[in-house]
Amino acid sequence: MQIPNIDTGGPAIDNWRSVFQDSFPSLDKYTLIYKDLHQHPELPCQESRTAAVVAGHLQSLGFRVQSNIGGHGVVGILSNGEGKTVLLRSELDALPIAEDTGLPYASKVKQVDLDGITKPVMHGCGHDMHMACLLGAADLLQRVQDFWSGTLVCVFQPNEERLLGAQAMIDDGLFSKIPMPDIVLGQHAVPTRAGTIGTRPGRVLAFLDSLAVRVYGKGTHSSTPELGIDPILMASCIISRLQMVVAREIDFREPCTITCGYFHAGTDASIIPEFADFKVDIRSFDQNIQNTAVKAVSRIIEGECRAANSPKPPRISTSAHCPPIDNDAEATGKFACALQRFYKDDEPGKVVEMDLDITADDFVLLGHPPGEKPIPYVYWNFGVIPRDEYDQAAKDGRIQDLPSNHNPKFAPEIEPSLRAGIEGLAIASVTFFGKS
């Protein structure tokens, strides 16, 4: 077979479809890996089994493997002559969610989280699919290494759900342990039609500031509330009032969300406790809007505590901060062109425009190695919602009712999602390695 010219947009890039088809790894094999990872999810900072599965598989493919980077982070390197260095990234961790999919391979796992509380665990964000796809892409690329030249770096990142894992790997010397990448690539499973791939240049994901808050009261018996100061009522007033920030302090043309997803206080109905804890996520696409919202949230928390006569100021700490993801326009254009050419004979609608998403991902930090110039990166989505379900929901006008990421019913359709995820990573890789 003729070795393809992998300059993006070059006529021979169409030949990669034949190259991949002739060497594509067994989807049954990677389906089993996916199901195993799905059945054995692990919470952030506890991904030891998951990391061992990933590392072992990379070693079996002939990659040079390094483990325990920034926690349970794993890196696999495949050196294949002179050329560009391409970094592909997946995540390892799962979520504290009780799975409710009814799947025969559903998770029944429980773990003690870092706060000492036993919680159910589920791969409710698609990281199990991400890992299976990256392992499959690594397999495919090593099978066709006669057709490309360069260095492939596969990064499996821990602790993404808390948006702390990428920085932990960087702080642990990630960029001194690998060749400096020329391009950083990543993808995410989303609740769109299974098998589709979505790209978008420029900004695709948002700013995030996650605040951990403790407000203080004065404990007493619930029958004598006048003798105490109720931190539960205080926190409830704060959380309700925070919703006014977007409605009254943010330009209606600027997307912004302020959400409380965690609230904990007290031990018994008869006791007004000493404090209440809650967590707030603030998300937007604009730096000025983000600054305005963060300041407003802190101002309201402090003001409500004073109004409630709290015995001491609230404790407000930033548990996570994440900048937005801004895809490199030129690199994204090359990748989108490669996808269109690769799938030109496929069903219409295979390659779509990626929606702007107000979520966040610390993938962006991998494009900013300390002391080095920024590395261009491309981040894209691939759909995983069962095709029949999605098509019927689209017909009925209820796409918003389909289970999304972080939902206990989130259940990707393994095929064609798995193939699309493997192909997307492989297509992107050969696009940026350069000529063979």
Side-chain angles (χ1 to χ4, degrees), residues 36-55:
D36 174 72
L37 293 169
H38 187 88
Q39 282 187 301
H40 299 91
E42 294 176 301
L43 291 171
C45 302
Q46 302 186 53
E47 312 96 331
S48 57
R49 180 191 184 276
T50 307
V53 169
V54 165

Side-chain angles (χ1 to χ4, degrees), residues 47 51 66-75 92 156-158 169:
E47 312 96 331
Q66 301 177 69
S67 299
N68 301 316
I69 303 174
H72 294 294
V74 176
V75 171
L92 296 168
F156 290 83
Q157 177 200 315
M169 293 189 78

